[in-house]
Amino acid sequence: MTTRHATCNCGHLHLAIEGEPARVSMCRRPECHRPECQRRTGVVISNQARFKPAQIAAQTKQYEDRFLSPFVAAERGYIDDVIMPHSTRRRIARGLAMLANKHVEVPRRKHDNLPV
């Protein structure tokens, strides 16, 4: 992977971008008062890395394939189980059937409010 570098006009800041951006630019840092930097952007600080839409689409697809799957989350232990759509009704019915006869014993009160 290629790394592109950019520096502000004054040379105070350096920026490194991995990939193949179409353009990388950096201008002015807050404590710099050089007129060249101020005239160029008119803002306190400006960093840009512009990528082509095809590159963004490819990276998005790669990210979605890698992280946008419940199976990856289950592999890593973030979730307990993946319920497939065709078995959803059966799993919910089984869970509700387990809860149908559940009885929770409420502990006896230890203190009471006496009439005042």
Side-chain angles (χ1 to χ4, degrees):
M1 183 166 288
T2 308
T3 303
R4 298 250 334 247
H5 299 275
T7 308
C8 79
N9 287 343
C10 356
H12 285 276
L13 290 179
H14 302 281
L15 178 68
I17 302 291
E18 288 186 1
E20 296 292 335
R23 179 181 177 177
V24 176
S25 65
M26 173 183 283
C27 304
R28 193 157 156 11
R29 96 181 195 185
E31 57 269 11
C32 175
H33 299 291
R34 293 190 62 188
E36 305 90 70
C37 289
Q38 292 174 4
R39 269 181 276 173
R40 183 167 180 211
T41 61
V43 295
V44 176
I45 191 164
S46 169
N47 299 326
Q48 293 181 4
R50 296 183 181 176
F51 293 87
K52 296 177 182 170
Q55 291 174 308
I56 293 172
Q59 286 292 96
T60 302
K61 175 76 172 118
Q62 181 183 4
Y63 179 84
E64 287 173 351
D65 291 343
R66 186 171 177 192
F67 296 110
L68 201 61
S69 167
F71 301 108
V72 174
E75 258 179 37
R76 294 181 179 188
Y78 297 140
I79 57 177
D80 295 328
D81 198 7
V82 177
I83 301 173
M84 300 307 288
H86 59 67
S87 64
T88 303
R89 182 181 299 258
R90 184 178 57 226
R91 296 282 297 262
I92 290 175
R94 189 173 45 190
L96 290 174
M98 270 196 311
L99 294 175
N101 298 325
K102 181 176 178 180
H103 178 71
V104 178
E105 287 190 27
V106 180
R108 213 178 66 124
R109 284 184 156 179
K110 294 182 180 178
H111 304 287
D112 196 8
N113 285 341
L114 298 174
V116 183

